[in-house]
Amino acid sequence: MEHSKDLIYFDNAATSWPKPEHVYSFMMEFYRATGVNPGRSGFDLAIEAGSLLDRLRLRLTRFFGGDEDTPERLCFGYNATDALNLIIGGVLERGDHVITTNLEHNSVIRPINHLVRDGGVEATFIPFDGAGFVDPDDIAKAIRPATKLVIVNHGSNVIGTIQPVKEIGRICRERGVTFVIDTTQTAGIVPIDMKEMNVDALAFTGHKALMGTTGIGGLCIRKHLLLRQTRAGGTGVESIYPYHLEEYPWRMEFGTPNMLGVASLWAGQDWLDEQGVENIHAREMVLAKKLVEGLRRIEGVRFYCCDSLENHLSTFMINIDGLDAGDVGMMLDVDHNIATRTGLHCAPLVHTQLGTVDIHGGVRFSVGAFNTDEQVDVAIGAVTAIARWSAERRRRGTA
């Protein structure tokens, strides 16, 4: 544990760390006392475990602005990637057309590409503008008679821009097209209201700003949307029935749920309620602004789609002239004990459009709820030292 003791962690877009103490303590207490299989047995402890699961469905449905009268449509899975596969595969069929964007994570790009290659689906990828935003009018122009689905990354995990999903959702509702958002980077950071945003389904993960563990996530589905089943297995109920159940939540849930993850999400909701989502985001953006302004003053540091922090997460990407992104990340880690994320960030189309593929991506900073002013100061100093070293090396012709 010594290696993490003094670590300055700016990789919260990958997973939030550390978690609130309440999350750690509640998980341990719940799992010690109630760590049994919910819904599989009729004894009191199993019923108690199932009660937390059902209460969390309703709590998260309210959190996402879903349909409170059908909380069973809040279904749990491994993570957002798992949920996105269920949604994409559950909506699209041969002959359908899907619209998505160049801002997507591979959790959207790859399932769609597989359906294009193997399933007779057509896809359109909409580019973002110079500030990092998708124009809703570009979505509207791309809709065809065969368009079945529009799916958009609510917040970019690379450049941090928050997309105008309400406007895109309105267009989709008017045109009768299913609209899905990937809230991996935004759930727990910015308020989400599915009804107000005209969102038909969303995917979420638990281990980022929702302050849960890895291995838990899911999907929230509006009551008017029917997803086709693409998997089958155990549900713990109606075991004599030879096919997977069509009723929610079992329609989209398979096997034993991750109850430790469920406990972590419950405790994470406690913490978010106590702190206030807007307050957390505001604090993060104060630190992000200080970090961006400090790094912007350093000669040789290049930003991407970060001229303004309006409609932005506390995530942004830089490069340093003359250095590979991976080398910068290694120097930050080894020499300054600062954790960032380098490379293509599982979002190759972003880097393709930005022209950063050939330089191996970029260095991503993502400020979290537990970062401090002092850590920001250290990061600015560290990048200053690395940029100066790089400039001196180029001056001497040793690059």
Side-chain angles (χ1 to χ4, degrees):
M1 298 294 290
E2 282 300 314
H3 61 280
S4 66
K5 182 179 178 182
D6 299 314
L7 179 68
I8 297 177
Y9 186 78
F10 284 116
D11 196 21
N12 290 279
T15 194
S16 58
W17 186 83
K19 310 295 183 185
E21 282 300 319
H22 175 62
V23 172
Y24 296 129
S25 61
F26 184 83
M27 281 195 302
M28 181 65 72
E29 291 166 8
F30 172 83
Y31 211 59
R32 282 185 181 277
T34 327
V36 300
N37 205 328
R40 267 61 175 175
S41 303
F43 54 85
D44 289 347
L45 207 57
I47 293 172
E48 185 177 343
S51 174
L52 182 71
L53 185 63
D54 291 338
R55 286 184 288 134
L56 182 60
R57 291 189 204 280
L58 178 57
R59 193 173 188 182
L60 286 175
T61 298
R62 288 172 172 162
F63 184 77
F64 290 127
D67 297 314
E68 294 184 27
D69 58 338
T70 55
E72 66 274 10
R73 283 175 166 255
L74 190 295
C75 304
F76 293 104
Y78 296 127
N79 43 49
T81 298
D82 188 39
L84 287 162
N85 272 267
L86 289 172
I87 295 170
I88 293 167
V91 170
L92 296 175
E93 299 179 283
R94 183 173 296 275
D96 289 339
H97 173 241
V98 56
I99 298 170
T100 188
T101 81
N102 284 354
L103 290 165
E104 305 310 306
H105 188 276
N106 272 335
S107 54
V108 167
I109 297 170
R110 286 175 171 171
I112 287 176
N113 282 342
H114 275 274
L115 288 174
V116 169
R117 187 187 69 182
D118 306 324
V121 169
E122 294 187 359
T124 299
F125 289 85
I126 304 296
F128 51 91
D129 63 21
F133 298 96
V134 172
D135 187 339
D137 287 340
D138 290 341
I139 301 282
K141 292 173 186 175
I143 293 176
R144 314 172 186 169
T147 303
K148 189 75 168 290
L149 173 66
V150 171
I151 183 165
V152 172
N153 195 347
H154 191 193
S156 171
N157 69 305
V158 180
I159 54 177
T161 48
I162 300 173
Q163 300 309 307
V165 295
K166 183 176 180 179
E167 291 81 359
I168 297 171
R170 177 185 53 78
I171 291 167
C172 291
R173 184 58 43 84
E174 291 172 353
R175 303 286 288 274
V177 177
T178 298
F179 181 46
V180 172
I181 61 173
D182 173 3
T183 70
T184 300
Q185 296 297 325
T186 54
I189 294 179
V190 295
I192 296 169
D193 189 320
M194 296 177 70
K195 293 187 286 291
E196 182 183 335
M197 294 174 171
N198 297 303
V199 172
D200 297 302
L202 64 75
F204 66 92
T205 196
H207 68 99
K208 303 197 185 203
L210 290 178
M211 294 296 169
T213 64
T214 53
I216 186 76
L219 52 161
C220 190
I221 311 159
R222 297 290 304 284
K223 59 187 176 184
H224 60 263
L225 178 63
L226 180 66
L227 293 183
R228 187 176 61 258
Q229 293 171 312
T230 54
R231 297 179 189 167
T235 57
V237 297
E238 301 290 344
S239 296
I240 194 64
Y241 189 64
Y243 304 101
H244 200 82
L245 299 184
E246 296 183 2
E247 297 87 359
Y248 290 91
W250 304 288
R251 186 181 184 88
M252 292 293 149
E253 289 185 355
F254 315 88
T256 300
N258 176 0
M259 290 306 295
L260 189 60
V262 165
S264 74
L265 283 179
W266 183 269
Q269 286 287 292
D270 288 343
W271 188 78
L272 290 172
D273 285 347
E274 176 189 310
Q275 300 291 319
V277 169
E278 295 92 338
N279 296 331
I280 297 166
H281 181 51
R283 291 198 299 268
E284 291 178 355
M285 291 308 296
V286 168
L287 292 179
K289 181 180 179 182
K290 178 180 178 179
L291 182 53
V292 167
E293 290 177 349
L295 297 183
R296 205 184 295 281
R297 291 193 293 267
I298 303 170
E299 185 176 351
V301 171
R302 183 181 308 175
F303 282 84
Y304 301 86
C305 302
C306 197
D307 290 343
S308 169
L309 289 179
E310 186 177 357
N311 295 320
H312 216 282
L313 302 170
S314 57
T315 295
F316 60 90
M317 186 179 76
I318 67 166
N319 272 305
I320 296 177
D321 289 344
L323 291 177
D324 183 274
D327 291 337
V328 175
M330 182 176 64
M331 286 185 275
L332 286 170
D333 178 24
V334 174
D335 298 334
H336 303 279
N337 207 26
I338 297 173
T340 59
R341 169 78 186 276
T342 65
L344 300 182
H345 311 97
C346 297
L349 298 184
V350 178
H351 289 278
T352 298
Q353 185 173 332
L354 292 175
T356 52
V357 172
D358 291 342
I359 57 173
H360 307 114
V363 182
R364 183 186 70 190
F365 286 81
S366 46
V367 176
F370 296 101
N371 286 122
T372 66
D373 272 298
E374 292 75 19
Q375 291 175 339
V376 168
D377 290 335
V378 172
I380 294 169
V383 174
T384 299
I386 294 169
R388 285 175 177 169
W389 175 81
S390 178
E392 179 62 19
R393 189 175 69 146
R394 294 198 310 277
R395 187 185 66 79
R396 292 181 177 181
T398 56

